[in-house]
Amino acid sequence: MKKKIVALSMVACMAASVTACGGSKPAETTAAATEAETEATEAVAEESSAEETKAVAADIETVTPGKLTVATSPDFAPYEFYAIGEDGTPKLSGFDMDLAQYIADYLGLELEVVTVDFDGVLSELQTKSVDIGMAGLSPDEKRMGIMDFSDLYYMGGQSLVTVKDNAEKFNSFEAINKPEVSVGAQVGSIQMDLAETNSPDADIVGLPKVTDIISELLTGKMDAAYIETDVAKSYQKNYPELTLVMDVPYDAEGSAIGVCKGNEALLAGVNEAIAAAKEDGSLEKFIADAGELAAGQKYEGLLDENGNVQN
Ligand code: ARG
């Protein structure tokens, strides 16, 4: 059941000031303008953008009133993963999670994150059980019937990945396109489509988590896999045996937020928040922080000395 959210004007004003600080400066300021005049112009700019944001926030309906419910699949460093703290407790981390918090704050909503496997993110959106999906989602055309996509907030690429010992052996689509070669991809992902398009004769293995794919590659149970380039590079920092053998072309490159189909006010609010996070440097910082954290020694999905995924 959807209920309308009544936006608190205080929150809307706070959100608006982010936009205003983010650079909606008056287009022309003559050298002769006095400081007072400039201030007056800025105040007007701020006021009108406060009005705009208030209008956007007031129109937004969410699954649970007052909350922004976000589905994610935390097997995808540096986008989303569990960083294990000093005390051993896993903490949901990654730049998608920081951006999710930013968007919730921007819209004056409380953030609620639902963790599922990646194909679950798609179905949660399809059944409109969540408001948005943030999981390094590619705005693939065939998903457009079940969700709307925000503007892009990150540009990535795709790679074919194996281990160093096999780098010579599995270095092209031809080399892996054989029934005896096992090639992995995450269930429901565009990497699965890439596997089917580029290596249809291979033994294609779909696994629910990218961390399982990494584990299978490292333990020699899988020969090669299609993985997003920056994700593969992130896991490679902890597992230098991994190697990216080639770039894989894909035509809907970049990551977007999946928004519950037809919720136009939310889509507009999310796009505004993304623009603000780009403008004020937050997004850049989230990406840098996540990269650093994911290169640390502890996060879920790392293998123990027996090659088993730690949970
Ligand atoms: N970009 C790919 C897709 O949209 C893979 C995303 C996987 N995300 C994740 N959190 N495991 O299909």
Side-chain angles (χ1 to χ4, degrees):
M1 263 293 147
K2 287 188 168 186
K3 290 247 175 71
K4 208 157 197 173
I5 289 176
V6 185
L8 297 172
S9 57
M10 264 303 284
V11 177
C13 287
M14 274 164 54
S17 67
V18 175
T19 320
C21 295
S24 49
K25 284 248 159 126
E28 267 177 51
T29 316
T30 62
T34 63
E35 214 173 282
E37 274 172 342
T38 312
E39 264 168 29
T41 325
E42 281 179 355
V44 171
E46 199 161 316
E47 214 171 87
S48 66
S49 88
E51 285 305 313
E52 275 164 34
T53 310
K54 215 186 287 175
V56 171
D59 277 352
I60 294 177
E61 292 180 0
T62 56
V63 172
T64 305
K67 289 191 175 172
L68 181 70
T69 309
V70 181
T72 194
S73 164
D75 60 349
F76 211 56
Y79 284 88
E80 48 263 333
F81 56 100
Y82 285 106
I84 316 279
E86 289 301 314
D87 60 352
T89 18
K91 183 174 181 291
L92 196 50
S93 311
F95 64 79
D96 270 352
M97 297 299 94
D98 288 345
L99 183 59
Q101 186 64 63
Y102 184 99
I103 294 170
D105 292 347
Y106 189 94
L107 299 176
L109 298 167
E110 190 191 323
L111 178 65
E112 177 145 321
V113 180
V114 178
T115 58
V116 281
D117 284 341
F118 181 68
D119 57 344
V121 174
L122 304 179
S123 54
E124 293 284 305
L125 278 165
Q126 185 165 19
T127 55
K128 303 195 168 183
S129 312
V130 295
D131 300 308
I132 62 176
M134 294 188 68
L137 269 170
S138 308
D140 198 82
E141 210 169 300
K142 72 174 196 301
R143 294 178 177 157
M144 291 183 182
I146 61 167
M147 65 186 80
D148 293 326
F149 284 108
S150 73
D151 297 335
L152 298 179
Y153 62 91
Y154 190 78
M155 283 310 292
Q158 312 302 322
S159 290
L160 184 66
V161 182
T162 186
V163 287
K164 282 200 177 130
D165 285 351
N166 286 334
E168 302 289 303
K169 209 155 120 202
F170 303 127
N171 61 357
S172 66
F173 293 143
E174 298 74 55
I176 62 164
N177 194 23
K178 297 171 186 163
E180 67 274 19
V181 180
S182 62
V183 175
Q186 185 167 38
V187 176
S189 70
I190 59 99
Q191 285 78 13
M192 189 50 108
D193 300 339
L194 295 175
E196 279 157 5
T197 309
N198 297 306
S199 46
D201 296 336
D203 172 20
I204 298 172
V205 181
L207 292 179
K209 289 186 181 10
V210 171
T211 40
D212 293 336
I213 294 175
I214 303 287
S215 155
E216 299 270 302
L217 284 172
L218 292 168
T219 53
K221 292 182 200 130
M222 185 180 275
D223 295 318
Y226 292 86
I227 302 177
E228 184 166 325
T229 304
D230 288 347
V231 172
K233 284 185 176 161
S234 181
Y235 287 105
Q236 192 188 34
K237 287 194 186 130
N238 287 319
Y239 299 107
E241 307 93 285
L242 292 172
T243 183
L244 285 69
V245 284
M246 62 181 277
D247 289 340
V248 178
Y250 171 59
D251 54 17
E253 218 47 277
S255 303
I257 295 174
V259 179
C260 193
K261 186 114 198 105
N263 194 340
E264 279 169 29
L266 179 58
L267 180 63
V270 164
N271 278 335
E272 231 186 83
I274 292 174
K278 284 181 182 169
E279 186 81 30
D280 69 11
S282 299
L283 182 57
E284 209 179 314
K285 183 178 182 304
F286 299 157
I287 293 168
D289 289 350
E292 214 170 284
L293 199 58
Q297 287 313 299
K298 290 199 160 188
Y299 54 87
E300 193 178 71
L302 288 184
L303 305 185
D304 62 22
E305 58 279 12
N306 302 317
N308 297 315
V309 177
Q310 299 169 11
N311 279 314

